[in-house]
Amino acid sequence: MSYVEIGVATNFSFLRGASHPQEYVHQAVDHGLPAIGIADCNTLAGVVRAYSELDNEELGCKPKLLIGSRIVFIDDTPDILVYPKDRDAYGRLCRLLSTGKLKAEKGECLLQLSDLLEFSEGQLLVLMPAHRFRPGALSHLLTALLSSRVERVWLAASPFYRGDDERRLARLQRVADTVRVPLIATNDVLYHDHNRRPLQDVLTCVREKTTIDKAGRKLQANAERHLKQGEEMMRLFRAHPDAVAETVRFAGRISFSLAQLSY
């Protein structure tokens, strides 16, 4: 079954992502992914180099590039992936990010849920719950998102590889069914290949102002947060195969491309 990764963080997610956008494009080609979604934290910077790399004549079957951003809030709202469906929605996403950056010092972006709701028209939103979550609070937030002018809402399901993935995915499925939103699979990717994990550890230490020997649980528990093939995601989501299929349907809803912009 085809799979589209929508939760990619590049090195433009400062001190978080450990791979260049170009590396993700090449890995997506190697994995035979039909599309890939770049969603860096409170920025659109990473998508430009990914888009430019698609002009590389050495690439084989080129994936569709989905343009998005991972909105990180200051009001305890869980992160939300925002993907504009068309050119007008892309303009609103740019205005949202500008709103957050104008409130902050250089390099920062201060956004609240109310800011997102103001620019939600035409956006595809994917709620990214933390490892531990309260179903009631999650349902309430999803309902609030659905009540806005948003195009559509999804609940993300990511494996955390901590021994409780099966129970956690089942809980997420119940929340999604209750609120009537689709569950969508993502590996919440931090690097293109598992060999890049040591660099991601170093970035985490710089971000947290600590050292490798003192970082402890601030580091990722394993090297699984890399771009995976569709077959591997189907294995991980064997109890929820429609969450994998939903990634392809998600990509099909997006018509926007950077080719639509002119400078």
Side-chain angles (χ1 to χ4, degrees), residues 15-250:
L15 297 181
R16 186 172 184 273
S19 291
H20 295 281
Q22 302 94 313
E23 293 175 313
Y24 281 116
V25 169
H26 283 267
Q27 193 79 322
V29 171
D30 291 343
H31 287 348
L33 302 184
I36 182 173
I38 304 293
D40 281 312
C41 296
N42 293 342
T43 184
L44 291 162
V47 299
V48 178
R49 294 193 182 184
Y51 177 74
S52 297
E53 189 62 24
L54 289 172
D55 286 335
N56 190 327
E57 296 181 356
E58 297 179 0
L59 290 177
C61 186
K62 299 178 182 180
K64 176 182 178 181
L65 180 62
L66 310 180
I67 311 299
S69 182
R70 183 181 187 128
I71 304 303
V72 180
F73 299 91
I74 60 172
D75 58 3
D76 296 325
T77 300
D79 294 358
I80 297 178
L81 306 183
V82 181
Y83 280 90
K85 70 166 188 175
D86 54 26
R87 173 65 181 83
D88 289 341
Y90 172 78
R92 296 185 195 97
L93 176 56
C94 291
R95 290 167 60 195
L96 169 66
L97 295 172
S98 296
T99 296
K101 293 180 187 300
L102 288 171
K103 295 179 183 178
E105 296 181 1
K106 185 176 181 180
E108 299 294 326
C109 187
L110 304 180
L111 289 169
Q112 302 181 62
L113 179 61
S114 57
D115 296 314
L116 172 60
L117 297 181
E118 182 180 352
F119 298 102
S120 64
E121 185 178 354
Q123 311 293 359
L124 310 182
L125 304 185
V126 182
L127 180 60
M128 303 287 287
H131 176 244
R132 299 187 183 279
F133 62 89
R134 292 184 293 119
L138 211 56
S139 297
H140 180 75
L141 177 54
L142 288 166
T143 300
L145 294 175
L146 288 168
S147 299
S148 70
R149 292 173 292 177
V150 67
E151 180 71 14
R152 196 162 185 189
V153 178
W154 285 259
L155 178 60
S158 302
F160 279 76
Y161 310 99
R162 298 181 182 178
D164 62 347
D165 281 340
E166 187 173 338
R167 294 191 302 274
R168 183 175 179 276
L169 292 178
R171 292 177 67 215
L172 287 170
Q173 184 68 69
R174 287 194 292 272
V175 172
D177 291 342
T178 299
V179 187
R180 297 184 179 181
V181 299
L183 195 70
I184 189 167
T186 171
N187 199 43
D188 201 3
V189 175
L190 294 175
Y191 35 85
H192 76 289
D193 182 82
H194 66 89
N195 292 320
R196 195 58 61 87
R197 187 265 176 96
L199 175 59
Q200 208 279 325
D201 284 350
V202 172
L203 294 174
T204 299
C205 289
V206 175
R207 185 182 71 237
E208 299 293 336
K209 297 179 174 60
T210 186
T211 59
I212 290 289
D213 58 332
K214 296 179 181 179
R217 293 189 178 182
K218 293 178 181 179
L219 301 178
Q220 295 296 318
N222 49 59
E224 295 292 339
R225 299 281 294 277
H226 59 89
L227 189 62
K228 293 182 180 291
Q229 295 177 311
E231 293 83 356
E232 175 66 4
M233 292 300 290
M234 277 298 297
R235 185 187 68 80
L236 293 169
F237 286 85
R238 54 189 174 274
H240 305 274
D242 202 53
V244 177
E246 188 63 31
T247 65
V248 179
R249 293 191 284 267
F250 179 93

